[in-house]
Amino acid sequence: DHKDREEAEDEIRAAEQRLKDSEQQQKRAAKDHKDREEADRATLAELEDEIRAAEQRLKDSEQQQKRAAKDHNSEARNQRAAKEHTDREEADRATLAELEDEIRAAEQRLKDSEQQQKRAAKDHKDREEADRATLAELEDEIRAAEQRLKDSEARNQRAAKEHTDRAP
């Protein structure tokens, strides 16, 4: 009976340690999730800045193109300007294509980051649910161990009483 009591106490201590460990794991997971969210927000801000910068370069290129079109005054200047304008148009078209590619890439990174953030939130929620289930199981184990301890103590008391009753 004394052995049953020690085993029950050991089980209680082990269950309490598992409970503490689970709570620590849950705290670490929450901190990791918060850190990932902060990093994702920083990434989103950077991507938005990249998009704004690419859009500004696009606007600047369009303004430059408009100014070039206005500079055709004299015939000789017109011929030079026409060639320069054609060259600039080709360069601008290439620049626009690059900027559009940059915008698409930035938008894709933004989408990827949002998906990653959603997955991280779901993983965190799943971990929390699993932790809650584990905590419930541990609490059940603690209650069962405490009941076994009480039962063992009651058996010890009955045995002691029977021993006392039989004594002359």
Side-chain angles (χ1 to χ4, degrees):
D1 287 339
H2 182 69
K3 185 178 177 185
D4 287 347
R5 179 187 173 106
E6 285 180 4
E7 286 177 9
E9 288 172 348
D10 287 347
E11 287 179 32
I12 289 171
R13 280 191 292 277
E16 288 171 343
Q17 185 59 48
R18 288 193 302 272
L19 181 61
K20 286 179 188 174
D21 294 346
S22 180
E23 289 169 346
Q24 286 298 318
Q25 185 179 0
Q26 199 170 8
K27 286 178 185 175
R28 283 191 301 272
K31 183 185 182 312
D32 292 347
H33 179 66
K34 182 179 175 190
D35 292 347
R36 276 195 305 276
E37 279 185 339
E38 288 175 10
D40 288 345
R41 277 195 286 279
T43 300
L44 291 176
E46 289 173 12
L47 294 174
E48 289 167 352
D49 289 347
E50 287 181 35
I51 289 171
R52 281 192 291 277
E55 288 171 343
Q56 186 57 50
R57 289 192 302 270
L58 183 61
K59 286 179 186 173
D60 293 347
S61 178
E62 289 169 347
Q63 287 298 319
Q64 184 180 2
Q65 212 170 3
K66 287 178 185 175
R67 282 193 301 275
K70 291 180 182 177
D71 286 343
H72 300 170
N73 292 337
S74 71
E75 188 62 35
R77 200 166 72 195
N78 278 349
Q79 288 176 349
R80 278 194 318 275
K83 184 179 180 341
E84 289 173 8
H85 180 67
T86 302
D87 292 347
R88 271 196 307 270
E89 275 184 339
E90 289 174 12
D92 287 348
R93 273 194 287 279
T95 300
L96 289 175
E98 288 174 13
L99 293 175
E100 288 167 352
D101 289 346
E102 285 181 36
I103 289 171
R104 278 191 293 278
E107 288 170 343
Q108 186 59 50
R109 287 192 304 270
L110 183 61
K111 285 179 187 173
D112 293 347
S113 178
E114 288 168 349
Q115 286 299 316
Q116 183 180 359
Q117 202 168 6
K118 285 178 186 174
R119 282 192 302 273
K122 183 185 181 311
D123 291 348
H124 179 66
K125 182 180 174 190
D126 292 347
R127 275 194 308 274
E128 280 183 338
E129 288 175 8
D131 288 346
R132 274 195 289 281
T134 300
L135 290 176
E137 289 173 13
L138 292 174
E139 288 167 353
D140 289 346
E141 288 179 31
I142 288 170
R143 280 192 290 278
E146 288 171 343
Q147 187 59 50
R148 287 193 302 277
L149 180 60
K150 286 179 187 175
D151 294 347
S152 175
E153 288 171 346
R155 279 193 307 276
N156 285 344
Q157 287 176 355
R158 280 195 304 277
K161 184 176 183 317
E162 288 172 10
H163 181 71
T164 304
D165 290 349
R166 279 192 301 240

